[in-house]
Amino acid sequence: MRAGVIVFPGSNCDRDLALALERATGRPTRMIWHKDHDLPQGLDLIAIPGGFSFGDYLRCGAIAATAPIMRAVVEFAKTGGHVLGVCNGFQVLIETSLLPGALLRNANLKFVCRDVALKVESRKSSFTEKFLQGQEVTFPVAHHDGNYFASAELLERLEGENRIAFRYRDNPNGSTADIAGVLSENGRVLGMMPHPERLDQPELGGTDGAILFEGLAEAHLAV
Amino acid sequence: MKARVFVTLKNGVLDPQGEAVRHALGSLGFDGVSGVRQGKVIELDLTETDATRAEAHVTEMCEKLLANTVIENYRVELL
């Protein structure tokens, strides 16, 4: 699998994400600048990292969503490419409308930064198929605006289509139905607030995050 | 021509910042505030001189960037 990571001014987990992908794929990750208009050829996955792109001005992710490279990322997703958005990357994907819903300020107004337990809800994607159904995993969260908002109608659709990838065991931010990660209709775009790249090797205190990246790499080798 | 855009949260969307402001008002002794909703005001200087066209442009800006219409309403005022 060949992966690329988009870099915005204010991204701060881009190198972590690139390293996690390199460890899983054994190939270098391409770093892609937000002002580029085109993606490098031959990539299987585009990852949008966490951080505070453009200082979270206007709304988290709103300015990044208008960057030239995002037009290419939306096109890549619409033609069946895999896209992963972590934390601020999830906010960017929502602002580009690749994923539904909205991310609001945490219900308790506090920046939450700690490891959280998640339950794997949907294995219907390359991102999650290496996990066991219902498996409990630990990923760190670090965000101020991760309160996922879904209308009753959207929630019903997400549940009906098995598009909730992860749920929090103990909801840290007030998200609708404990939602921590959401898949697109075709299961190839995943947005999630928790950071799998921050817990992907024993030296970091855990390896649950590696399952996601290894699953992705294996899915693409099998193609 | 100037335009002023008011962006507010839709009814039914929780506004924890508004709630925090309501609590703070209460602790300052301002009784009788049963709800607070916080929003934002964006002022634009436009080169357009035709009001109808200006309003159409700003509405498009709201739809595409200034508001997140999943959770926010907007109102455009021309000055």
Side-chain angles (χ1 to χ4, degrees):
Chain A
M1 180 177 80
R2 293 172 194 275
V5 171
I6 310 290
V7 184
F8 297 105
S11 293
N12 69 9
C13 301
D14 45 335
R15 298 280 152 185
D16 310 54
L17 203 47
L19 282 172
L21 285 162
E22 281 181 20
R23 279 194 281 269
T25 62
R27 291 170 185 267
T29 303
R30 294 288 299 265
M31 304 307 281
I32 304 159
W33 186 235
H34 67 107
K35 283 191 175 168
D36 290 353
H37 286 79
D38 302 301
L39 294 169
Q41 291 294 304
L43 294 182
D44 303 300
L45 170 80
I46 300 298
I48 307 181
F52 304 87
S53 59
F54 296 93
D56 282 350
Y57 292 170
L58 190 62
R59 291 180 306 276
C60 301
I63 309 290
T66 68
I69 197 63
M70 286 312 297
R71 255 168 266 155
V73 173
V74 169
E75 194 53 36
F76 178 80
K78 288 195 168 153
T79 52
H82 280 80
V83 180
L84 169 66
V86 173
C87 200
N88 188 226
F90 186 13
Q91 294 162 341
V92 174
L93 290 180
I94 282 186
E95 286 287 343
T96 58
S97 298
L98 281 176
L99 291 172
L103 285 158
L104 306 174
R105 179 55 45 107
N106 292 347
N108 64 6
L109 294 174
K110 294 200 168 73
F111 189 98
V112 50
C113 182
R114 59 183 155 90
D115 292 355
V116 296
L118 303 175
K119 192 173 155 214
V120 180
E121 285 285 324
S122 171
R123 294 183 59 247
K124 197 194 77 170
S125 76
S126 308
F127 304 98
T128 51
E129 66 185 355
K130 200 177 160 74
F131 294 98
L132 305 172
Q133 183 66 41
Q135 184 176 348
E136 196 168 286
V137 293
T138 299
F139 291 172
V141 291
H143 61 250
H144 210 164
D145 299 82
N147 178 356
Y148 186 72
F149 171 83
S151 63
E153 186 192 6
L154 172 61
L155 179 61
E156 195 180 321
R157 202 166 82 227
L158 293 175
E159 287 180 333
E161 295 171 359
N162 197 16
R163 286 168 56 190
I164 299 171
F166 301 99
R167 286 192 213 253
Y168 300 108
R169 194 186 60 192
D170 303 307
N171 193 335
N173 53 29
S175 290
T176 304
D178 303 327
I179 293 173
V182 170
L183 291 161
S184 60
E185 249 176 293
N186 68 2
R188 294 183 173 203
V189 180
L190 169 66
M192 58 192 296
M193 289 313 295
H195 289 266
E197 79 282 5
R198 290 195 187 176
L199 217 47
D200 79 320
Q201 49 181 334
E203 292 84 346
L204 296 176
T207 56
D208 284 350
I211 305 171
L212 186 148
F213 300 108
E214 284 164 9
L216 264 177
E218 284 168 23
H220 281 90
L221 286 177
V223 170
Chain B
M1 182 171 281
K2 281 178 187 289
R4 198 173 279 157
V5 176
F6 297 84
V7 181
T8 49
L9 282 173
K10 288 182 176 175
N11 287 334
V13 176
L14 178 74
D15 181 5
Q17 294 182 93
E19 267 304 285
V21 171
R22 189 177 66 82
H23 277 288
L25 288 172
S27 66
L28 286 174
F30 292 103
D31 296 329
V33 182
S34 59
V36 176
R37 307 282 284 170
Q38 191 175 308
K40 50 192 146 194
V41 178
I42 301 167
E43 289 187 339
L44 307 169
D45 290 318
L46 305 171
T47 51
E48 179 63 64
T49 50
D50 179 86
T52 311
R53 276 202 300 265
E55 187 163 1
H57 281 159
V58 176
T59 300
E60 197 185 346
M61 292 175 206
C62 290
E63 289 287 332
K64 286 193 171 166
L65 179 66
L66 301 180
N68 176 352
T69 55
V70 174
I71 48 167
E72 292 169 332
N73 291 320
Y74 62 84
R75 183 164 58 82
V76 177
E77 206 178 82
L78 294 176
L79 308 171

